[in-house]
């Protein structure tokens, strides 16, 4: 740093001292952030194990890759996590004499965009290409919706080369968004900050999550975290076609859907040749079974899985015949 | 270009080293002007013409005022400046508001009324730079300072990028001479500057941006679904949001200016410890309130015409101050409310009776904070209907704290850094609150950066005061 002054010699030595201080300070901050980054990376598996099932996905992918028979992967979010019991479905398959086996990968707040990267990077890239993919959709997250605020998405599901596709399909433009996405991908500290904040606030503030639930219920505004972008459904279709994966869409019994796929999604599924199952279309789920409107209680989960099992087993029998 | 954007990070990484590589003051000023226009033009290039217009008019008018001995001519010249600056402000900021209000008023009287509205954007920072240039011309007219004869220096003063879009509204007598002298940066300036920048950004991205969704959720709700505690809690959150947002911007502006060798005025001085409205306005947005005092309140007669005239002048000043913030009736109401508070406290001579410090002053600060909160409700409301609805909510039940209490706790959590800063900065005018030991300072600065990274909200929002 150089500044003009009446006495050049003394000023330049003072300038050098300031410049040195600037550099030392920046190095200090960088080192502190690096230390925090590495400390953070040590706890990321715990964070993602709960929220994204990343650690468990490795086991699932390994089992699936090693399995000698038709494989079925359910990719979903917390709605399917708390709505479908894979063990019950596997028992139903076994009972029907099917050799097919189901793995369930429910990762919170994910939607179609996340599922494409999960399928690509957590399963197919690990040699686990399912024969059938099941996509349960519920609440306001049907086939053409993506969650705009999955902050740790970049850490969990994206490979280094995926940002280009992400920017293209999400129409991410401008320095701001692209830099933020890249930073989220590069840094666990930055990418997972939303989840850390939430953990801190959940620990500190009793009723924090209930507060947001109440606010969302009373707010007039739309849930701005969800955006419509059917480009991701198109990509999923292209990917599954290329890999020879059959797709089944299951309408969950949550509010906004009530067990039926919205007309736009139905058209999309028909166009793609995807099977649509609506086991709860004519069955009511009351408030005691889905207290927040979209997550089922344990008994309701069992009830819905029992409703789903016959149609799913029958369809899987058709799809996996001869495998 | 926002201070909390990647674009600005790149901008400053290019501009600052270049600025300090240049030895000549004049070339440094050229760089300041070019970079300031790039900074503003990043948002909209067309509106640079307005800044240029304001610059040329006030530069020429002030020189002509100085050159003239004819009082009538001098007056005509200062009117040209006022008409130009207030005209720009009136057309771009208030035209639609007044036309729309007139049409609504006529329609309410049962008259047919229709008028075309202007389809224009509100130029960012227009209220700040027009007030700044207008004050300069008035100062020259009043003989308080000499006219600037160097157009480059004056253009830099008008467009200086750290404070161009959201202040502080700098007086020419303070900032303008700094463009004529060589700038140096001492170790203390660099450290306090860096501290201001880091803490200012943290206030914005980690505090204000986290309060925004809570506030928006309640203020965008159906008034029939909200309870008194919820409106109270959301308004507390807004009090923190607007303070962290605006004072954060000011901190960054002052910090950047400081490491460029400039001194910008203090704009906030712990406003929420105020015990009276006059104290609040000596602590909140100081550059605007002192502007309003010097160029409006005093021009209207100040307190020279007896009690009633003083109250009238206070009310007029505050109502216009409210309108300065935005072209909407709730801002007018906010100004009216604060004018009313100033008058009421003056009637009771509260300022004279309160001790400088001690328990009585603390006790007085609590009810005044509640009054301030109601002012923020007026300020944040999206319509007068919402003001009425939320106000009536306060007369209903206060029993349901199930949502409001967690909201207050979240607000309290995010207020901790601000409170810590207030306690540490006591008596040190804000920026020298970190340890002076270099190692301890660096550790503290890095800790604040880390806090900011972890608490930064994913979706940043524009600074609230950009819209004014």
């Amino acid at each position: 740093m150089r500044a003009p002054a009446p006495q050049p010699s003394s000023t330049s030595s003072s300038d050098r001292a300031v410049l040195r201080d600037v550099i030392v300070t920046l190095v200090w901050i960088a080192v502190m952030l690096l230390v925090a980054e590495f400390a953070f990376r040590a706890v990321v598996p715990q964070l993602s194990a709960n929220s994204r099932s990343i650690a468990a996905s490795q086991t699932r992918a390994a089992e699936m890759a090693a399995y000698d028979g038709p494989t079925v992967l359910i990719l979903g979010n917390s709605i399917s996590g708390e709505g479908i019991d894979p063990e019950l479905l596997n028992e139903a398959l076994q009972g029907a004499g099917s050799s097919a086996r189901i793995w369930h990968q429910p990762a919170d707040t994910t939607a179609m965009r996340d599922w494409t990267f999960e399928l690509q990077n957590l399963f197919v890239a690990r040699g686990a290409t399912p024969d059938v993919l099941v996509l349960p959709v519920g609440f306001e997250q049907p086939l053409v919706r993506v969650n705009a605020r999955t902050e740790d998405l970049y850490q969990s599901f994206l490979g280094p080369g995926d940002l280009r596709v992400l920017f293209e399909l999400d129409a991410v433009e401008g320095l701001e968004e692209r830099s933020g996405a890249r930073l989220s991908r590069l840094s666990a500290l930055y990418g997972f900050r939303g989840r850390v904040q939430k953990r801190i606030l959940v620990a500190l503030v009793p009723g924090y999550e209930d507060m947001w639930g109440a606010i969302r219920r009373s707010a007039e505004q739309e849930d701005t975290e969800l955006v419509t972008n059917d480009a991701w459904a198109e990509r999923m279709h292209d990917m599954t076609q290329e890999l020879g994966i059959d797709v089944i869409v299951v309408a969950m019994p949550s509010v906004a859907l009530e067990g039926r796929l919205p007309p736009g999604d139905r058209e999309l599924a028909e166009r793609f040749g995807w099977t649509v199952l609506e086991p709860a279309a004519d069955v009511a789920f009351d408030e005691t079974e889905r207290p927040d409107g979209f997550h089922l209680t344990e008994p309701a989960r069992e009830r819905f899985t029992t409703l789903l099992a016959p149609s799913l087993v029958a369809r899987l029998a058709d799809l996996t015949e001869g495998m | 270009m926002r201070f909390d954007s990647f674009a600005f990070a790149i901008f400053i990484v290019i501009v600052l080293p270049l600025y300090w590589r240049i030895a000549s003051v004049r070339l440094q000023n050229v760089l300041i002007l070019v970079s300031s226009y790039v900074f503003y033009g990043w948002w909209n290039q067309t509106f640079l013409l307005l800044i240029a217009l304001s610059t040329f008019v006030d530069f020429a008018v002030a020189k002509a005022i100085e050159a003239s001995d004819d009082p009538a001519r001098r007056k005509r010249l200062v009117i040209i400046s006022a008409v130009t600056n207030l005209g720009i402000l009136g057309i771009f900021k208030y035209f639609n508001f007044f036309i729309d209000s007139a049409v609504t008023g006529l329609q309410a009287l049962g008259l047919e009324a229709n008028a075309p509205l202007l389809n224009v954007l509100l130029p960012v920072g227009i209220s700040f730079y027009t007030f700044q240039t207008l004050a300069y011309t008035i100062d020259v007219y009043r003989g308080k300072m000499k006219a600037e004869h160097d157009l480059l220096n004056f253009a830099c003063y008008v467009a200086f990028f750290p404070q161009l879009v959201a202040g502080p509204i700098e007086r020419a007598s303070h900032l303008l001479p700094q463009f004529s002298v060589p700038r140096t940066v001492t170790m203390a300036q660099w450290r306090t500057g860096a501290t201001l920048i880091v803490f200012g950004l943290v206030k914005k991205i980690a505090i204000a941006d986290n309060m925004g969704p809570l506030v928006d959720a309640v203020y965008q709700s159906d008034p029939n679904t909200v309870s008194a505690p919820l409106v109270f809690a959301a308004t507390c959150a807004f009090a923190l949001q607007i303070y962290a947002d605006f004072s954060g911007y000011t901190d960054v502006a002052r910090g950047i200016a400081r490491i460029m060798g400039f001194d910008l005025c203090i704009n906030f001085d712990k406003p929420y410890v105020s015990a009276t409205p006059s104290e609040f306005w000596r602590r909140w947005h100081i550059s605007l309130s002192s502007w309003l005092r010097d160029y409006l309140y005093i021009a209207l007669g100040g307190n020279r015409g007896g009690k009633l005239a003083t109250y009238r002048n206070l009310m007029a000043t505050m109502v216009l101050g409210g309108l300065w913030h935005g072209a909407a009736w709730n801002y007018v109401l906010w100004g009216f409310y604060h004018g009313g508070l100033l008058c009421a406290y003056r009637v009771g001579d509260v300022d004279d009776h309160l001790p400088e410090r001690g328990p009585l002053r603390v006790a007085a600060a609590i009810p005044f904070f509640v009054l301030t909160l109601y002012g923020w409700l007026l300020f944040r409301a999206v319509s007068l209907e919402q003001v009425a609805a939320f106000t009536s909510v306060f007369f209903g039940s206060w029993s349901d704290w199930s949502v409001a209490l967690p909201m207050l706790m979240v607000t309290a959590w995010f207020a901790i850094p601000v409170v810590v800063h207030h306690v540490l900065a006591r008596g040190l005018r804000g920026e020298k609150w970190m340890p002076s030991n270099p190692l301890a300072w660096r550790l503290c600065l890095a800790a604040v950066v880390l806090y900011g990274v972890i608490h930064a909200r994913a979706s940043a929002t524009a600074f609230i005061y950009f819209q004014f």
Side-chain angles (χ1 to χ4, degrees), chain A residues 154-185:
Chain A
Y154 308 112
Q155 272 295 323
S156 305
F157 303 141
L158 295 190
D162 293 332
L163 282 174
R164 190 186 55 78
V165 174
L166 184 81
F167 294 160
E168 189 184 316
L169 296 192
D170 271 359
V172 176
E173 286 174 357
L175 183 66
E176 210 63 31
E177 279 184 278
R178 286 176 177 242
S179 308
R182 287 204 170 90
L183 199 53
S184 291
R185 177 69 189 84

Side-chain angles (χ1 to χ4, degrees), chain A residues 1-5 17-18 21-22 24-25 28-29 32-33 36 149 151 175-176 179-180 183 189 193 196-197 200-201 204-208 211-212 214-215 218-221, chain B residues 5-7 10 20-21 23 182-185 187 190-191 210 213-214 217 220-222 225 403 406-407 409-410 413 439 441-443 445-446 450 453-459:
Chain A
M1 194 175 285
R2 194 153 61 88
V18 174
D21 200 66
V22 171
V24 172
T25 304
W28 260 92
I29 291 173
M32 286 276 285
L33 286 175
R149 226 177 253 176
E151 291 157 14
L175 183 66
E176 210 63 31
S179 308
L183 199 53
L189 179 66
R193 69 198 187 285
V196 176
Q197 281 173 39
I200 293 170
L201 288 166
L204 285 174
V205 180
Y208 177 77
M211 174 191 80
W212 275 113
I215 285 172
S218 69
E220 280 179 335
Q221 84 255 34
Chain B
S5 65
F6 281 96
I10 293 168
W20 283 116
R21 289 293 297 171
R183 269 87 67 171
T184 54
V185 171
M187 191 70 85
W190 141 246
R191 287 195 183 146
N210 276 303
L214 291 176
Q220 287 170 12
S221 290
D222 176 358
T225 65
V403 180
M407 195 180 278
M409 291 173 77
V410 172
W413 166 251
L439 184 63
W441 174 72
R442 285 182 198 121
L443 277 171
L445 197 68
L450 193 58
V453 171
I454 290 176
H455 286 81
R457 201 165 167 78
S459 51

